[in-house]
Amino acid sequence: MRHRPHRSPSQALAAVLVAGSLLLAGCSGGDEEPASSETAAPSEPTASETTEPPEPTYWPLTGLERTGKAPKHPVIVTKVDNTSSSAPQVGLGSADLVVEELVEGGYTRLAAFYYSKVPASIGPVRSMRASDIGIVPDGATVVTSGAAPITVKRINGAGIPWLTEGDAGVYRETSRSAPYNLFARLGDIAKRLKAEEEPPPYLPWGTPSDLPRGGKARTLTADFGAHSTSWQFQKGGYVNTDSYAAQGDQFPADSVLVLRVRVGDAGYRDPAGYPVPETKLEGKGAALLFHGGRVVRGTWSKDGLKGPIELSTKQGELTVPAGRVWVELVPAATGNVTFAK
């Protein structure tokens, strides 16, 4: 058994006096100590504690999450030459999204989309086609070298604003030969353009985990006739192995989306006498989505030229993993798409 320590009479008296003073203090009408946090009534939560975090916002052309406010300028679509005469192409590496479309003679032209980032210069800038009515999103401005009168009339009728040579920021590069020497200072142009509202998503965006498994496909080629564009899956992305872009300025594709499209006659011929084709980006057709070294087969649909692009498989909706996408509009009747493991 443990014994308590023995107290002397003086120690006992001191203890009594201390206890008495504490009792008097508790009965005193003087200043009171605030109640301890253990016994205090719970305080109401502050506004910052009850406010829900803001909903995340996303870039419309990539589906990636955006921090900060949207740009004040609209989407700027620049028509870029895609023949060997265009080398080196400038500014493709800054594009959010690129659409490759058929032009006369079996060659192709690029529609490069800029919104989240605008390069200082882009080019060589070439002419529009009626195909662009179904490609250019609402509210966007097109930078172009112009177009045939019949195309200009249709572009204007579709309400698409455009800039060309003679407008501020569009200039001739003296070190190159015409017609491959028209360039645009997109940085300066963007400062003068004002968007009425933020654009909607260009594609149905999702995540890689949303994709069906698909089959292996580490290489692919989109054949348009006189021109073909080939891709290899390398280090998590797709590299255009026959690009005309300047070194270090190639478009870094996270995905390649192939849409098989119907092509008609635009109703006129180019200066060389070739009939000008018109891609009909409306209706529906077969789709191939290449991502992560695999391919998913599906279908695309679009309600009219200005409707959104929708994708699906037999299992339901198909979404494109957020990132930078190159869209190949390959003719269903005369074009071809091949891919391999």
Side-chain angles (χ1 to χ4, degrees):
M1 180 179 293
R2 185 175 179 182
H3 295 279
R4 293 181 181 177
H6 176 72
R7 288 187 178 184
S8 67
S10 60
Q11 289 176 323
L13 178 60
V16 171
L17 292 173
V18 170
S21 64
L22 292 174
L23 180 61
L24 290 172
C27 298
S28 169
D31 295 338
E32 296 182 359
E33 292 292 328
S36 69
S37 59
E38 295 180 355
T39 60
S43 60
E44 291 294 326
T46 64
S48 61
E49 292 172 334
T50 59
T51 302
E52 292 290 333
E55 288 291 326
T57 54
Y58 300 91
W59 290 108
L61 301 181
T62 63
L64 297 171
E65 187 170 349
R66 186 186 78 217
T67 57
K69 297 181 179 180
K72 295 181 180 179
H73 61 77
V75 171
I76 304 174
V77 179
T78 305
K79 297 304 301 292
V80 180
D81 189 85
N82 197 41
T83 66
S84 58
S85 299
S86 69
Q89 296 162 330
V90 175
L92 285 186
S94 299
D96 287 323
L97 180 142
V98 173
V99 177
E100 184 172 9
E101 62 187 287
L102 179 70
V103 291
E104 52 275 15
Y107 291 95
T108 65
R109 191 151 294 172
L110 307 180
F113 290 54
Y114 299 89
Y115 188 59
S116 67
K117 185 178 181 181
V118 178
S121 294
I122 175 73
V125 176
R126 296 303 303 276
S127 57
M128 301 179 289
R129 296 291 185 272
S131 305
D132 296 321
I133 297 172
I135 294 171
V136 175
D138 284 339
T141 294
V142 178
V143 177
T144 174
S145 65
I150 187 174
T151 300
V152 169
K153 183 177 180 179
R154 292 185 61 188
I155 292 289
N156 290 342
I160 300 174
W162 50 283
L163 303 172
T164 189
E165 187 173 9
D167 291 308
V170 184
Y171 67 99
R172 293 285 175 178
E173 174 56 63
T174 57
S175 64
R176 301 197 186 202
S177 300
Y180 308 101
N181 63 345
L182 190 67
F183 281 71
R185 296 185 180 91
L186 284 198
D188 294 341
I189 290 172
K191 294 175 183 177
R192 296 192 300 273
L193 299 177
K194 300 299 178 185
E196 295 182 1
E197 57 185 15
E198 190 171 347
Y202 192 79
L203 293 171
W205 300 112
T207 66
S209 62
D210 297 329
L211 290 179
R213 182 167 176 77
K216 290 184 178 179
R218 300 186 68 87
T219 64
L220 70 124
T221 297
D223 186 359
F224 291 82
H227 174 81
S228 60
T229 299
S230 297
W231 299 89
Q232 285 186 359
F233 181 68
Q234 300 178 9
K235 299 179 180 180
Y238 290 85
V239 176
N240 183 349
T241 56
D242 46 21
S243 172
Y244 300 119
Q247 185 68 29
D249 202 10
Q250 291 189 7
F251 181 79
D254 296 301
S255 302
V256 178
L257 176 62
V258 177
L259 306 181
R260 302 304 301 270
V261 295
R262 183 168 58 92
V263 176
D265 190 335
Y268 66 100
R269 293 177 179 268
D270 74 353
Y274 290 102
V276 176
E278 180 181 349
T279 294
K280 305 287 188 177
L281 191 54
E282 61 180 339
K284 60 183 179 179
L288 296 168
L289 174 58
F290 296 86
H291 181 85
R294 309 188 73 85
V295 58
V296 177
R297 297 176 182 268
T299 58
W300 67 270
S301 62
K302 196 166 179 283
D303 185 9
L305 292 176
K306 305 309 289 183
I309 296 172
E310 297 180 349
L311 304 171
S312 62
T313 65
K314 292 180 179 179
Q315 289 71 39
E317 181 187 17
L318 174 63
T319 58
V320 180
R324 297 165 80 177
V325 180
W326 185 291
V327 181
E328 303 278 17
L329 301 182
V330 180
T334 59
N336 193 26
V337 182
T338 57
F339 53 89
K341 297 180 180 180

